[in-house]
């Protein structure tokens, strides 16, 4: 009898503790910020596709012109700014499997040109119709494949590659001292008959992005490889192929806004969405 009373007393004491644990567990799961990662990973999330959204933004920066030439010439990097433009980016999940894809299209005001430098051994500085440097203002349009890899909720790396096309709108030449006062002065700010105005080629870049809610900050380093020479390659002689193609770089900083809601695909982003769903379910 004594043992029975002891057993009953033990059960009576244990019952409140058991119910307390159940209540605590229920309260635990009702607090979204304290739900464990294991529980969040088990929550079924009905998302149509991660990283499936539109964004639009503007950017600005500077351009570096270099180029490649025949005959080979000593060349200096030439700095020109500001570069500015806008783009629209469509992020999507390819085949429902790869959440890192995107398309980017837009327009920008950029520059092309060249700057020849003096050969220290010979003292000779090459010129093009008396000019040792030229800068062309070039409005451009582009369409790029856009790739990104997200790291956590707020950071990502980006890469892009595609095609661009533009029109050489204005030109500013610097004449060599030996040609000051010559007929070449009339072409300081004028294109010649054998200059090419249309430009096109390959464009790409790499960079990083910071995501703050629906705003994104993009820092990019871009390269542009032109396929249209600055002038007709055979203008001096049909037997000699003289060319000068753009090979330029640019550094830009941009601000973008997500037009449609973004659902990330990393563990942290999916758990954040699961926590939100749990909170909404508990508040019903």
């Amino acid at each position: 009898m004594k043992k029975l009373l002891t057993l009953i007393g033990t059960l009576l004491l244990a019952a409140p503790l058991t119910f307390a644990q159940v209540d605590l567990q229920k309260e635990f799961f009702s607090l979204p910020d304290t739900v464990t990662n294991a529980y969040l990973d088990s929550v079924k999330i009905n998302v149509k596709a991660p990283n499936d959204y539109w964004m639009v933004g503007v950017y600005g920066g500077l351009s570096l012109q270099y180029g490649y030439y025949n005959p080979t010439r000593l060349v200096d990097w030439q700095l020109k700014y500001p570069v500015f433009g806008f783009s629209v980016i469509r992020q999507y999940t390819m085949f429902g499997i790869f959440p890192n894809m995107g398309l980017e299209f837009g327009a920008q005001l950029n520059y092309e040109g060249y700057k020849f430098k003096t050969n220290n051994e010979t003292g000779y500085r090459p010129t093009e119709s008396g000019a040792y440097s030229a800068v062309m203002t070039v409005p451009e349009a582009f369409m790029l494949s856009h790739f990104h890899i997200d790291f956590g909720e707020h950071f990502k790396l980006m890469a892009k590659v595609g095609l661009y096309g533009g029109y050489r709108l204005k030109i500013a030449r610097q004449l060599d001292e030996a040609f000051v006062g010559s007929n070449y002065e009339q072409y300081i700010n004028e294109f010649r008959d054998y200059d090419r105005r249309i430009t096109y080629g390959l464009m790409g870049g790499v960079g990083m992005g910071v995501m703050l809610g629906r705003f994104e900050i993009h820092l990019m380093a871009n390269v542009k490889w032109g396929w249209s020479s600055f002038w007709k390659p055979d203008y001096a002689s049909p037997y000699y192929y003289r060319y000068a193609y753009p090979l330029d770089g640019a550094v830009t900083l941009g601000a973008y806004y997500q037009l449609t809601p973004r659902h990330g695909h990393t563990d942290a982003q999916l758990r954040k969405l699961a926590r939100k769903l749990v909170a909404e379910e508990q508040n019903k």
Side-chain angles (χ1 to χ4, degrees):
M1 185 67 177
K2 185 176 181 181
K3 292 182 179 180
L4 180 59
L5 292 174
T6 302
L7 180 60
I8 293 172
T10 301
L11 292 173
L12 291 173
L13 290 173
L17 294 176
T18 302
F19 285 115
Q21 289 177 357
V22 173
D23 291 338
L24 285 174
Q25 189 176 17
K26 181 178 179 181
E27 182 180 357
F28 173 77
F29 284 111
S30 68
L31 299 175
D33 292 336
T34 57
V35 173
T36 64
N37 288 339
Y39 177 78
L40 292 175
D41 291 341
S42 68
V43 176
K44 185 177 181 181
I45 303 175
N46 294 319
V47 178
K48 182 178 180 181
N51 281 340
D52 191 344
Y53 64 102
W54 291 82
M55 61 180 168
V56 62
V58 296
Y59 58 87
L62 53 87
S63 174
L64 292 164
Q65 295 89 50
Y66 193 76
Y68 57 106
Y69 312 89
N70 183 42
T72 302
R73 303 182 181 186
L74 294 175
V75 183
D76 264 337
W77 286 101
Q78 188 169 217
L79 176 65
K80 184 66 177 177
Y81 58 88
V83 172
F84 57 89
F86 76 94
S87 68
V88 178
I89 303 175
R90 170 72 167 96
Q91 306 282 22
Y92 61 92
T93 298
M94 180 178 286
F95 308 128
I97 301 174
F98 306 105
N100 309 101
M101 311 300 293
L103 288 174
E104 180 175 0
F105 53 92
Q108 64 182 10
L109 182 68
N110 204 349
Y111 305 94
E112 293 180 348
Y114 53 86
K115 183 178 181 180
F116 305 137
K117 66 180 181 180
T118 303
N119 188 316
N120 293 329
E121 295 181 359
T122 64
Y124 172 72
R125 179 169 61 181
T127 61
E128 174 56 37
S129 298
Y132 67 89
S133 75
V135 176
M136 284 160 269
T137 303
V138 187
E140 298 170 342
F142 56 84
M143 178 171 288
L144 312 171
S145 293
H146 188 110
F147 310 93
H148 63 100
I149 300 176
D150 294 357
F151 293 91
E153 185 179 346
H154 301 293
F155 182 75
K156 66 179 178 181
L157 296 179
M158 297 174 290
K160 57 182 75 174
V161 64
L163 300 175
Y164 79 91
Y167 187 77
R168 293 163 182 154
L169 189 63
K170 296 188 297 184
I171 188 168
R173 309 177 198 268
Q174 292 290 328
L175 289 183
D176 187 273
E177 292 179 358
F179 297 95
V180 174
S182 68
N183 291 334
Y184 290 129
E185 283 193 342
Q186 63 182 308
Y187 299 114
I188 288 179
N189 300 116
E190 298 290 337
F191 287 97
R192 302 157 303 189
D193 293 339
Y194 48 83
D195 286 325
R196 287 181 170 174
R197 306 289 294 273
I198 295 176
T199 179
Y200 55 89
L202 190 68
M203 179 178 173
V206 294
M208 62 181 183
V210 177
M211 297 171 284
L212 305 171
R214 296 182 71 165
F215 290 94
E216 297 190 14
I217 305 299
H218 294 183
L219 178 62
M220 297 296 304
N222 301 312
V223 175
K224 194 178 71 172
W225 176 25
W227 296 341
S228 175
S229 178
F230 295 138
W231 50 75
K232 294 179 182 179
D234 58 355
Y235 81 88
S237 168
Y239 308 104
Y240 188 72
Y241 197 78
R242 300 164 53 96
Y243 62 74
Y245 288 93
L247 181 60
D248 306 329
V251 178
T252 62
L253 182 66
Y256 287 79
Y257 180 74
Q258 299 167 6
L259 298 176
T260 52
R262 170 182 175 272
H263 303 293
H265 68 283
T266 66
D267 289 342
Q269 292 164 335
L270 292 175
R271 285 168 183 167
K272 180 180 179 181
L273 184 57
R275 184 178 288 112
K276 179 181 178 181
L277 294 176
V278 171
E280 292 175 352
E281 186 67 26
Q282 293 293 328
N283 291 329
K284 287 182 179 179

